Amino acid sequence: MIYPAEQMLFLSEQDVLALFTPADAIALTEDTFYHIGTGEVTVGEMALMYVDDGQKNNFHSMPAILRHRKVAGVKWIDTYADPLPGFPFSHGNLVLLSDTRTGSPIAVVGATNITNMRTAGGHGVVQARHLSNPEPAVLSVFGCGAQAQAGIRGFLEGFPSLKRIRLFSRSRPPMEAVQRHWQDQDGFVLSAAVADFTPEHTAAQKIKKDGQSQRSLSLVSTQDILAWLGEHKKQGQRLCGFSMETENLLENSRKKLEKKKADLIAANSLTQPGAGFGVDTNCLTLIGPDWEEALPLMSKEDCAAALLDKLLGDPA
């Protein structure tokens, strides 16, 4: 059989950074949400494979068909909770595209930067347009990683009214910032964890080996932002915390709810396929003082909407 001549596009991560703008990420996110609503986007089931006996490192695929664009594609992702030294949690992601009319391959695209831009700079901006005050002037960012940096670029594109950016890093600075602003808030959702421990001593310069084959690192506990908020909660304020567990999800999350005096805990499992980091879906269990609600696997946008409904509405 004679196969037709194929032409396929290859885009590296550097190509993506050069070609894909924050405005593109926002526009394509809105377009995708719209066509999901019209039924023109079909999202397939995610497939996951672990590469180690401890099931800490995996590859998973996320397929979809965009009928309005006549394209089928799959995103190939690695998430390594136990990576080798020098390697990140997730990198080297790819998007593979094919023409639905002919079945021919169209493109292989580096997707790590697309993921960063789409998550915070695309999804985050689209959600904020529906949830934020008109013409916001201040953007607060917790963390300064790749997604945070992409998110800042996206928010500056999506909200020209922004005049100030607040950056919060680990330990005392975010704690002090939260203390300053908490009293004026009606509700607070803590969706990511500050490190539980921080180095007791820091070095201004690079620490040399000096012939040593081992070195000890002394850690001290960081201040607990959620616990402080619970202790200082005023009448009418609502507080939502976040838990990420690998075992005893409900038991550990309920202990956190009670200990931190929160109104709601969004409990996440790292062991459930399709949930946690590096994917567009999640499977939450919402836990209140005398109730629990296990949500099915759904998009993270739908998870956020369900969480807000519970936090701002009647939790029963």
Side-chain angles (χ1 to χ4, degrees):
M1 180 176 180
I2 299 176
Y3 291 96
E6 308 281 9
Q7 287 189 336
M8 189 159 53
L9 178 67
F10 291 88
L11 294 178
S12 67
E13 293 290 352
Q14 290 71 29
D15 294 329
V16 170
L17 287 175
L19 297 170
F20 194 54
T21 68
D24 294 331
I26 296 168
L28 289 172
T29 297
E30 289 184 313
D31 180 76
T32 300
F33 285 168
Y34 172 80
H35 287 98
I36 289 175
T38 62
E40 294 173 277
V41 174
T42 302
V43 179
E45 293 187 9
M46 186 187 75
L48 181 145
M49 299 177 294
Y50 289 101
V51 300
D52 59 324
D53 294 336
Q55 296 192 345
K56 294 183 177 181
N57 305 327
N58 69 74
F59 288 91
H60 48 278
S61 60
M62 301 170 60
I65 297 176
L66 284 65
R67 302 184 189 282
H68 62 296
R69 296 185 180 276
K70 299 179 176 58
V71 168
V74 62
K75 187 177 178 183
W76 181 248
I77 308 166
D78 69 281
T79 52
Y80 273 51
D82 185 24
L84 292 174
F87 288 87
F89 172 78
S90 180
H91 75 292
N93 303 322
L94 297 172
V95 167
L96 313 177
L97 299 176
S98 295
D99 189 325
T100 57
R101 296 164 298 183
T102 64
S104 298
I106 299 174
V108 178
V109 182
T112 301
N113 286 306
I114 289 177
T115 298
N116 293 337
M117 297 173 72
R118 180 266 301 151
T119 301
H123 290 187
V125 172
V126 172
Q127 292 175 64
R129 283 178 171 173
H130 295 280
L131 295 172
S132 69
N133 293 324
E135 301 296 315
V138 179
L139 172 67
S140 297
V141 181
F142 286 79
C144 298
Q147 290 202 8
Q149 294 173 42
I152 290 171
R153 292 192 293 270
F155 272 83
L156 290 175
E157 175 70 31
F159 293 93
S161 59
L162 287 173
K163 301 183 184 303
R164 183 180 181 188
I165 299 175
R166 292 172 174 163
L167 296 177
F168 301 113
S169 59
R170 293 177 176 176
S171 303
R172 291 199 62 85
M175 180 66 186
E176 293 168 352
V178 167
Q179 290 176 351
R180 289 196 302 270
H181 297 290
W182 168 235
Q183 299 301 324
D184 298 326
Q185 308 302 313
D186 296 321
F188 220 91
V189 179
L190 283 82
S191 57
V194 174
D196 292 330
F197 296 94
T198 189
E200 184 176 13
H201 305 289
T202 59
Q205 305 296 331
K206 177 183 176 181
I207 299 175
K208 298 292 187 178
K209 290 190 293 185
D210 293 330
Q212 298 182 23
S213 60
Q214 294 182 341
R215 185 178 292 271
S216 298
L217 179 65
S218 178
L219 302 176
V220 295
S221 296
T222 57
Q223 287 189 296
D224 193 321
I225 297 177
L226 180 60
W228 188 94
L229 293 174
E231 288 289 343
H232 294 80
K233 187 171 58 174
K234 297 189 302 184
Q235 183 72 27
Q237 287 181 320
R238 306 296 299 277
L239 179 61
C240 175
F242 158 98
S243 71
M244 178 69 78
E245 302 289 343
T246 57
E247 59 180 356
N248 302 324
L249 176 68
L250 299 182
E251 178 184 351
N252 290 338
S253 298
R254 183 160 294 282
K255 287 180 180 178
K256 184 171 187 177
L257 175 84
E258 296 168 355
K259 183 177 180 181
K260 307 299 176 71
K261 300 181 180 179
D263 299 290
L264 174 65
I265 291 290
N268 299 255
S269 172
L270 276 176
T271 60
Q272 167 128 7
F277 302 114
V279 293
D280 295 326
T281 55
N282 206 358
C283 189
L284 292 178
T285 299
L286 305 181
I287 300 176
D290 55 3
W291 58 271
E292 295 172 4
E293 181 177 349
L295 302 180
L297 185 68
M298 60 177 68
S299 72
K300 290 181 176 177
E301 291 77 21
D302 289 339
C303 285
L307 190 153
L308 286 173
D309 286 343
K310 284 294 184 182
L311 183 66
L312 304 179
D314 180 2

